[in-house]
Amino acid sequence: MKKQLLSILMLSCSIFSYGQDRLNVGYCGGQNTENISITVKGKQWVEAAIYLPAEYLKAYAGAEITAVRAALTNRIGIDTLRAWVRTDLKADNMASGEVTTKSTPQLKKKWNDITLNTPVKIEEGKGLYIGFSYYQRKDAEVVSFVGNGMPNSFFFRRSKDAEWEDMHTKGLLSVEAVVTGNSLPTYDAAVIDASVKRSESGLSMKTSIYNAGTKDITGLDLEVNGTDGVETVSKHFDQEIASGKLSEITFDLPYTDLKTGLDTPLSLNLVSVANGQDVNKANDKRQAAFAFAKKVLLEEFTGTGCGYCPGLVYNISDALRDEKCRQNTYVVCHHSGYTSDRFTVPADEEYLWFYNDNGTYGAPKMMCNRQPFTMHTGGMSPVWQPQNGNDVKHAIEGEMASDAYATFTKVEGQYNSGSRKLTIHLAGMKSREFSEHPVRLTVYLTENGIDGSDQADYFDIYKGKFIHNHVVRGYNSTWGAVINWKEKNFDYDVSFTIDPSWVKDNLEVIAIINAYDPQDPANCRIENVGGITFPAITGIQHVDNTSGVSTGIKEYYNIDGVKVLNPENAHGLLIVKEKMADGRVVSKKIIQ
């Protein structure tokens, strides 16, 4: 069996380093995030917790929980954070401790280490809830969670009058018990996360391994298992992981059926560590989540009268000089935020809601997959202003590196020249739920290559010639049509009437699978993006025969209409456009 290592990436996560008599015990592996996706309204106490079952705590029997670590995405509106240990979510606290905005140490963003008023002894055969409560003076979004959740990894209560909710499908809560003792596990490698990712090149496994023991690990063995006769994959890694550190490992899987991992779940098992015995088997196995490669939508807020807006256009163009970014990124321009102009459509002005800045707008600004990037007066917002092309490039790369749990499986079109009607057929699938709100599908028709002689103050950068690109000419709905899922799949058709003044070869259809929370601009993330150009649509619909004399000039495009620069390395469906000696351009589809 061929064993091909794709990459091994080390993440040097910053967490508190204790002596060998102290360990942090939980599910998150010391990770926290600044992303926000749970909004709680009003003045009240809010609670969150994890459960460590008896099997999980067995390795620590006899030791004591002396503190709790809890991470917050921000502390705005929060004045008290209380950590606790309980035998049941509704039981009284066995022990507790708190920090406030006036205590020493003070309540802070990210990790808070909170000493308990009395140590809690870990007894064999008994599980414990580790959690925290916080008091918010106003609407707040502060709970940190990461990765793919697992049972017991996230419980949440929105107020003391509400019921506890099992939220593990959202991720792993950033809370840990600080365990103190004289005989803690020496070698303990924990599988924090695992996901199988599908891309054009096949399947790969990504896992996060946390060293939860007191001694460094010098190597480990992993095993991927499936059902229904799926071949077991075993791999060894000479991986050094220091105590209290996290390592991310990515490797290729040999399965040729791309639905392996989706219809046939895969499990990742940590078999052994190289330099000792892994004493805690309770954290060695995870069923892998199935993820898709994520593409990116950049949305500009711009205007023809905005003198600074060409600078953002330049920064985006600079970022897209990187081939990988260019191949995986789409751009849409909203002519709003400055003033309306000849390109403004109603949706552009409705999107000003994303600013979340109490009626304050501005341009140039942008969004990247509608991820919340900044805090405005109304709360978190996905609208921000990059300073240069590197800022844009880093935002794109961050999104491409993350997992998507839905994707487009088909983006096709037909054009009727008599009625000037362009019909787009979309199909897609999901691997799991990823939003608490109905998921939507938003489709834009954009045009490139429009004369920009009316653009203000563009001469310094563009030397007298500016072109308007990514202009919205049509859309199905401002916030998208709710997807009608048929189990894990969907189909959707939408039509646009093409204005005779538009240059058809400059048209592009861009579709997004997006969340929409009408109460929170920071909770409307885009899960994935797809698209197709008008030339690719007509190339697919009208396949000419290849008779005649070829000039040998060929261009290759993927199904999204994006030009493929290295077709010899491409996989899947490609569209080949070949120029003939009589001036015709013929198209055909190939699969490789």
Side-chain angles (χ1 to χ4, degrees), residues 200-463:
E200 292 180 355
S201 59
L203 290 176
S204 62
M205 172 73 77
K206 180 173 70 175
T207 181
S208 297
I209 307 295
Y210 177 65
N211 185 351
T214 59
K215 292 189 176 181
D216 295 350
I217 294 171
T218 59
L220 50 90
D221 291 284
L222 300 177
E223 187 176 82
V224 179
N225 298 294
T227 57
D228 301 327
V230 173
E231 179 185 10
T232 297
V233 175
S234 299
K235 287 185 176 291
H236 174 78
F237 299 94
D238 292 321
Q239 192 88 354
E240 294 186 6
I241 311 175
S243 175
K245 297 296 181 180
L246 190 76
S247 176
E248 185 176 279
I249 302 174
T250 303
F251 55 94
D252 289 340
L253 294 174
Y255 311 123
T256 56
D257 181 0
L258 293 182
K259 287 192 175 182
T260 300
L262 178 62
D263 297 335
T264 306
L266 297 174
S267 294
L268 179 70
N269 185 37
L270 194 148
V271 179
S272 62
V273 295
N275 51 325
Q277 181 180 358
D278 189 325
V279 298
N280 185 9
K281 293 299 181 181
N283 55 17
D284 285 352
K285 191 171 184 178
R286 285 291 307 269
Q287 181 170 306
F290 189 89
F292 304 98
K294 178 175 281 191
K295 296 195 175 184
V296 183
L297 178 69
L298 302 182
E299 296 173 88
E300 294 180 56
F301 288 95
T302 187
T304 59
C306 169
Y308 291 103
C309 287
L312 177 56
V313 175
Y314 177 83
N315 289 337
I316 291 175
S317 298
D318 186 41
L320 296 184
R321 287 190 176 94
D322 179 272
E323 181 179 351
K324 188 174 182 180
C325 289
R326 184 173 63 254
Q327 296 280 3
N328 291 281
T329 303
Y330 299 85
V331 184
V332 168
C333 282
H334 303 305
H335 280 253
S336 59
Y338 182 73
T339 59
S340 59
D341 57 43
R342 65 187 175 111
F343 299 123
T344 303
V345 296
D348 294 338
E349 296 184 320
E350 292 182 74
Y351 288 146
L352 295 176
W353 172 77
F354 280 121
Y355 280 67
N356 205 14
D357 208 9
N358 292 340
T360 300
Y361 315 116
K365 302 284 186 180
M366 66 168 282
M367 298 187 288
C368 179
N369 272 356
R370 299 182 184 174
Q371 288 282 359
F373 270 83
T374 188
M375 177 66 73
H376 289 166
T377 56
M380 286 298 294
S381 167
V383 179
W384 61 295
Q385 183 172 351
Q387 299 302 306
N388 50 52
N390 278 335
D391 284 354
V392 179
K393 184 171 180 284
H394 291 157
I396 294 171
E397 289 174 334
E399 281 299 288
M400 288 194 303
S402 64
D403 292 337
Y405 299 104
T407 191
F408 290 98
T409 57
K410 187 178 294 184
V411 183
E412 295 179 345
Q414 290 183 328
Y415 179 63
N416 187 312
S417 58
S419 63
R420 303 198 312 276
K421 185 177 181 180
L422 175 64
T423 300
I424 303 298
H425 176 65
L426 304 167
M429 65 170 59
K430 64 180 177 181
S431 58
R432 75 170 202 187
E433 300 298 330
F434 49 87
S435 173
E436 64 270 33
H437 299 279
V439 180
R440 297 174 179 240
L441 191 63
T442 308
V443 187
Y444 301 102
L445 175 66
T446 66
E447 184 181 5
N448 299 317
I450 304 170
D451 175 70
S453 56
D454 59 342
Q455 178 65 46
D457 298 337
Y458 61 86
F459 290 96
D460 289 343
I461 296 177
Y462 292 95
K463 299 182 173 27

Side-chain angles (χ1 to χ4, degrees), residues 546-552 578-584 586:
T546 55
S547 61
V549 180
S550 171
T551 63
E578 184 174 8
K579 189 173 182 179
M580 311 303 289
D582 59 6
R584 293 181 302 117
V586 300

